[in-house]
Amino acid sequence: MKTTIVSAALGALALGVVFAAPAQAADVSACLITKTDTNPFFVKMKEGAAAKAKELGVELKSYAGKIDGDSESQVAAIETCIADGAKGILLTASDTKGIVPAVQKARDAGVLVIALDTPLEPADSADATFATDNLLAGKLIGQWAAATLGDKAKDAKVAFLDLAPSQPSVDVLRDQGFMIGFGIDPKDANKIGDEDDARIVGHDITNGNEEGGRTAMENLLQKDPSINVVHTINEPAAAGAYEALKAVGKEKDVLIVSVDGGCPGVKNVAEGVIGATSQQYPLLMASLGIEAIKKFADTGEKPKPTEGKDFFDTGVSLVTDKPAAGVESIDTKAGTDKCWG
């Protein structure tokens, strides 16, 4: 599986507003709305947007939910951005279906809406999507886990530590991608939980954080203590899963795989906490998004997707120090050079 690496050169409302350029100096304004302002992925995304906005003279206002899954704050932020006359909104949606009416309201008002990282449902609800190929990210860690286990993969006991009950698209894509890579029939590719493969112990929700990962892992271990493969939605959830496994002396018996590629996650790969992770590039997503908003404001031109895809692919690489035959990867030294957070 050939991966694509693109060079990085190319809270609730109450959490506050960040101005990337003096308001009186800017004639273009933009909004960045992330799921939280604490996850290193979104911190780096915010840094990328702010730096590019300053470079281009764009006024940037940033908003975030209180926790991953806080869609109400994101809807309120969209309303504020419309009222403020923003030319564009960059959005990582917590509820990829539920937020569509608010997004449509923004587009009806002439605002360019770009989904970052997480496609809306349907994807064309946004004007464009700049994202990791999350299905490929899942496939890579699934293929790596299957190749690493070899013949033992057919008798594996797999736990899925997912994101949220609403099953946002990023959650579904990574989850189903892992299954495809591992050799599990995902059944309905747009839905989590309808599979009937006997190797699946179960799914639980993490809210994308360490505490959630720990609790979800504890719940699934109670269901089946023989779990030996864990797919996690992101690296904070993976860190929590590892702590739960360590507490019962099983940390060396379980293969954990994840998606993110943040510096703490790459460090965990190097230390053996995570077997492999798919690295994505949030700074690039955000900086390209700001460039697209400025171009739209200046010319009316909307961004185009990567050829052959319905979104602009910002790249993904598998990071592991235990390469598996047939699965292209980079080691943690290279991953550290490209990591964030």
Side-chain angles (χ1 to χ4, degrees):
M1 180 69 65
K2 185 176 181 181
T3 63
T4 303
I5 303 174
V6 183
S7 172
L10 280 171
L13 265 55
L15 290 172
V17 175
V18 173
F19 293 91
Q24 64 269 26
D27 58 2
V28 177
S29 62
C31 291
L32 172 67
I33 305 171
T34 55
K35 297 177 185 178
T36 74
D37 69 345
T38 55
N39 186 311
F41 182 83
F42 300 121
V43 171
K44 182 56 65 174
M45 186 176 280
K46 188 173 177 179
E47 288 177 10
K52 183 58 68 171
K54 184 176 181 179
E55 175 189 329
L56 299 179
V58 173
E59 178 189 350
L60 178 66
K61 298 181 179 181
S62 297
Y63 305 91
K66 298 172 185 176
I67 60 170
D68 202 325
D70 177 15
S71 186
E72 290 184 5
S73 292
Q74 293 192 319
V75 170
I78 291 174
E79 296 280 358
T80 299
C81 295
I82 296 170
D84 285 350
K87 293 291 186 181
I89 295 172
L90 304 178
L91 171 68
T92 62
S94 287
D95 185 342
T96 49
K97 295 177 183 175
I99 206 162
V100 167
V103 169
Q104 187 59 54
K105 185 174 180 180
R107 294 180 70 187
D108 289 344
V111 182
L112 180 74
V113 180
I114 298 175
L116 299 184
D117 177 57
T118 305
L120 300 185
E121 298 180 73
D124 62 5
S125 299
D127 291 292
T129 302
F130 291 174
T132 305
D133 186 333
N134 281 296
L135 187 70
L136 175 58
K139 284 181 180 177
L140 287 171
I141 54 176
Q143 290 172 332
W144 180 86
T148 299
L149 288 174
D151 290 342
K152 294 180 180 179
K154 67 181 185 297
D155 298 315
K157 295 291 186 179
V158 186
F160 288 84
L161 272 57
D162 298 321
L163 182 57
S166 63
Q167 298 192 9
S169 56
V170 66
D171 201 4
V172 175
L173 288 167
R174 294 179 187 179
D175 192 297
Q176 306 294 273
F178 172 88
M179 291 186 197
I180 294 168
F182 196 77
I184 292 172
D185 182 355
K187 300 298 182 181
D188 184 345
N190 299 307
K191 181 181 179 182
I192 292 173
D194 65 334
E195 315 85 21
D196 58 10
D197 194 299
R199 291 174 290 181
I200 298 177
V201 171
H203 298 258
D204 209 327
I205 299 304
T206 67
N207 291 314
N209 59 52
E210 186 169 340
E211 181 181 353
R214 183 184 301 109
T215 301
M217 190 73 254
E218 289 170 349
N219 292 341
L220 290 168
L221 282 170
Q222 288 179 6
K223 186 174 181 180
D224 189 339
S226 67
I227 289 168
N228 62 351
V229 179
V230 179
H231 165 270
T232 64
I233 181 63
N234 63 11
E235 291 158 1
Y242 179 82
E243 290 303 318
L245 291 165
K246 187 177 180 180
V248 294
K250 292 183 176 292
E251 74 275 14
K252 294 182 180 180
D253 304 325
V254 180
L255 199 60
I256 301 176
V257 293
S258 196
V259 177
D260 257 353
C263 296
V266 173
K267 184 173 184 287
N268 277 345
V269 173
E271 294 176 350
V273 172
I274 300 172
T277 192
S278 286
Q279 186 172 62
Q280 47 185 346
Y281 304 102
L283 188 148
L284 181 61
M285 292 179 200
S287 61
L288 288 173
I290 293 294
E291 287 181 356
I293 290 172
K294 181 64 164 64
K295 186 173 185 179
F296 173 73
D298 291 345
T299 69
E301 184 178 341
K302 295 182 179 181
K304 295 179 174 60
T306 298
E307 186 175 353
K309 299 187 178 184
D310 60 0
F311 64 99
F312 187 93
D313 187 353
T314 54
V316 62
S317 303
L318 184 74
V319 181
T320 183
D321 285 334
K322 298 177 180 179
V327 188
E328 186 174 334
S329 64
I330 60 176
D331 62 20
T332 54
K333 184 178 183 301
T336 299
D337 290 342
K338 299 174 181 292
C339 74
W340 38 267

